[in-house]
């Protein structure tokens, strides 16, 4: 995992921890600025092969609400979702993208991946987690 992905995830978690505490508002604002800066750097060169970066950017979107960043991630994924190899991370990525765009083809590809992973005998825990996320994003 890239160091920047670890940093994005850490900043995201720290920011979420600050949200419920009034006395930590200034800390939350500072964390948000750092997160936005790091995300801007990562989104400039993100590729479909970097699913961990794409997933981290989608998590960060929940904090930053940077529509440009969200659109960049969605553009990268939408142009290549048929090229993704089946993996729990790919299922999660497609599930999150489906949540934002409700593109049926995206959802269908994610479900095909879940079936492929089950047939291959992939680590059941990871497949179940990815399938659960897919169901949540579809509001099932």
């Amino acid at each position: 995992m890239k160091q920047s992905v670890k940093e994005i995830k850490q900043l995201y978690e720290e920011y979420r921890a600050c949200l419920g505490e009034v006395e930590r508002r200034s800390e939350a604002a500072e964390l948000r600025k750092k997160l936005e800066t790091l995300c801007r750097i990562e989104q400039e060169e993100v590729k479909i092969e970097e699913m961990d970066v794409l997933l981290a950017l989608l998590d960060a979107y929940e904090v930053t609400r940077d529509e440009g960043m969200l659109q960049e991630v969605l553009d990268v994924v939408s142009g290549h979702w048929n090229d993704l190899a089946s993996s729990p991370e790919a299922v999660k990525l497609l599930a999150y993208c489906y949540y934002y765009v409700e593109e049926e083809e995206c959802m269908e590809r994610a479900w095909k991946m879940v079936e492929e992973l089950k047939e291959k005998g992939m680590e059941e825990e990871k497949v179940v987690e990815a399938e659960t996320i897919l169901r949540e994003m579809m509001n099932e």
Side-chain angles (χ1 to χ4, degrees):
M1 182 180 299
K2 288 175 68 173
Q3 182 63 29
S4 59
V5 171
K6 289 178 185 176
E7 289 177 54
I8 290 171
K9 288 181 178 205
Q10 180 182 357
L11 289 170
Y12 172 72
E13 291 302 324
E14 288 177 28
Y15 177 84
R16 287 184 53 169
C18 290
L19 287 181
E21 301 177 32
V22 174
E23 62 273 2
R24 294 180 72 188
R25 281 189 182 162
S26 62
E27 182 183 351
E30 195 60 40
L31 289 167
R32 182 183 173 130
K33 285 180 189 176
K34 288 179 184 178
L35 186 59
E36 287 171 346
T37 301
L38 188 55
C39 288
R40 256 193 304 280
I41 292 167
E42 280 304 315
Q43 84 181 50
E44 289 176 7
E45 298 178 11
V46 70
K47 298 177 179 88
I48 192 67
E49 297 83 18
E50 299 175 300
M51 280 186 278
D52 57 340
V53 174
L54 292 165
L55 287 166
L57 290 173
L58 287 173
D59 281 343
Y61 170 74
E62 294 301 315
V63 171
T64 64
R65 293 295 184 202
D66 181 338
E67 294 290 331
M69 179 178 69
L70 175 62
Q71 192 58 54
E72 181 70 28
V73 171
L74 294 173
D75 288 347
V76 168
V77 176
S78 70
H80 301 281
W81 61 42
N82 286 316
D83 300 334
L84 288 171
S86 294
S87 70
E89 293 78 17
V91 172
K92 290 177 194 176
L93 182 61
L94 291 174
Y96 292 144
C97 290
Y98 175 79
Y99 176 79
Y100 291 111
V101 297
E102 296 183 356
E103 179 67 44
E104 293 298 316
E105 187 179 348
C106 182
M107 179 203 43
E108 290 168 8
R109 179 68 181 123
W111 280 117
K112 280 184 187 177
M113 284 184 181
V114 168
E115 293 305 315
E116 289 171 12
L117 293 170
K118 287 179 178 180
E119 287 173 11
K120 290 179 183 176
M122 185 74 164
E123 290 180 56
E124 189 174 334
E125 185 178 315
K126 289 184 178 188
V127 175
V128 169
E129 177 189 3
E131 184 176 4
T132 300
I133 290 170
L134 181 55
R135 288 185 189 286
E136 288 173 359
M137 294 300 111
M138 293 175 55
N139 294 317
E140 279 194 358

